[in-house]
Amino acid sequence: MLKLYGGARSRASIVQWYLEELGVPYEFVLLDMQSGEHLQPEYLKINPVGKVPAIVDGEFQLWESGAILVYLAQKYGNAGKSPEEQATLTQWVLFANATFGPGIFIESNRDRELARLMKPLNQIFTTHPFLLGQEFTVADVAVGSMLAYSQMMLKLDLGEYPAVLEYINRIGDRPAFQKTIAPRAQ
């Protein structure tokens, strides 16, 4: 069975959400980050950097949330059949982690980046329900989790972006989201 390693407040919840969406059986291994479990030799064999999340899928080990999402989409999900479709999904996963996250969650970037990032997303969601059209994909997990966390943690006023707010509500109603991400807002 696939093992997902994570901390109480970590990006492991994003991977957990996607595993629930896919219906892939997994064991969640909660590491006590305060006591340094993630820095113990046993875990450092899985991720030598000592960060979470990480997965062990059979003999295969992988860390970095974006890489894990892409791997899960390719192995278990809807990663697309062509290299172009796979690259588009990967583009959005990388966007979520490398562009959107730092643009929104790093306070010194937020004033400059918020409108630049939200306007095109709002436009996308005015034309279709999910990032890539009618079908929910790993791209929605990556970007949607960042949008949801921006509301939970930062309480950003996104009133200028009604289609983004509708999207956040739409993904927030998904049972897998309710099971994994929504409880963190409590």
Side-chain angles (χ1 to χ4, degrees):
M1 176 182 293
L2 186 144
K3 287 186 177 182
L4 168 62
Y5 293 82
R9 295 194 174 267
S10 72
R11 289 186 183 208
S13 61
I14 299 167
V15 175
Q16 192 174 21
W17 175 23
Y18 193 45
L19 286 166
E20 290 290 335
E21 290 283 352
L22 294 170
V24 173
Y26 66 96
E27 174 188 348
F28 183 70
V29 180
L30 180 62
L31 298 177
D32 183 346
M33 309 293 279
Q34 299 295 337
S35 72
E37 275 188 300
H38 61 298
L39 301 174
Q40 297 304 309
E42 182 179 317
Y43 183 70
L44 292 174
K45 289 177 188 172
I46 297 167
N47 182 353
V49 179
K51 298 281 191 172
V52 294
I55 62 166
V56 175
D57 190 9
E59 298 297 313
F60 182 65
Q61 300 175 354
L62 188 64
W63 43 278
E64 280 298 322
S65 61
I68 295 168
L69 290 176
V70 170
Y71 166 76
L72 293 173
Q74 290 173 343
K75 184 167 182 180
Y76 300 105
N78 52 1
K81 307 224 182 324
S82 72
E84 294 81 6
E85 291 172 317
Q86 292 177 15
T88 300
L89 288 169
T90 301
Q91 166 189 271
W92 282 107
V93 172
L94 293 175
F95 166 80
N97 287 350
T99 302
F100 190 81
I104 300 301
F105 289 96
I106 297 175
E107 189 173 358
S108 61
N109 294 340
R110 196 174 307 133
D111 286 342
R112 181 181 66 247
E113 296 292 315
L114 183 66
R116 189 171 74 87
L117 296 169
M118 290 298 179
K119 284 179 183 178
L121 289 173
N122 197 69
Q123 182 58 42
I124 289 168
F125 299 132
T126 61
T127 61
H128 42 271
F130 299 109
L131 278 169
L132 301 177
Q134 299 301 311
E135 183 181 352
F136 180 88
T137 69
V138 68
D140 295 294
V141 172
V143 174
S145 61
M146 293 294 170
L147 284 167
Y149 279 132
S150 78
Q151 294 302 280
M152 290 178 198
M153 297 165 68
L154 304 175
K155 310 287 189 222
L156 295 179
D157 178 8
L158 299 181
E160 291 181 52
Y161 314 104
V164 169
L165 291 172
E166 289 171 17
Y167 173 78
I168 293 169
N169 289 333
R170 186 167 35 261
I171 63 168
D173 288 340
R174 298 179 70 83
F177 183 97
Q178 287 295 312
K179 183 175 180 179
T180 58
I181 303 287
R184 297 173 187 285
Q186 313 302 330

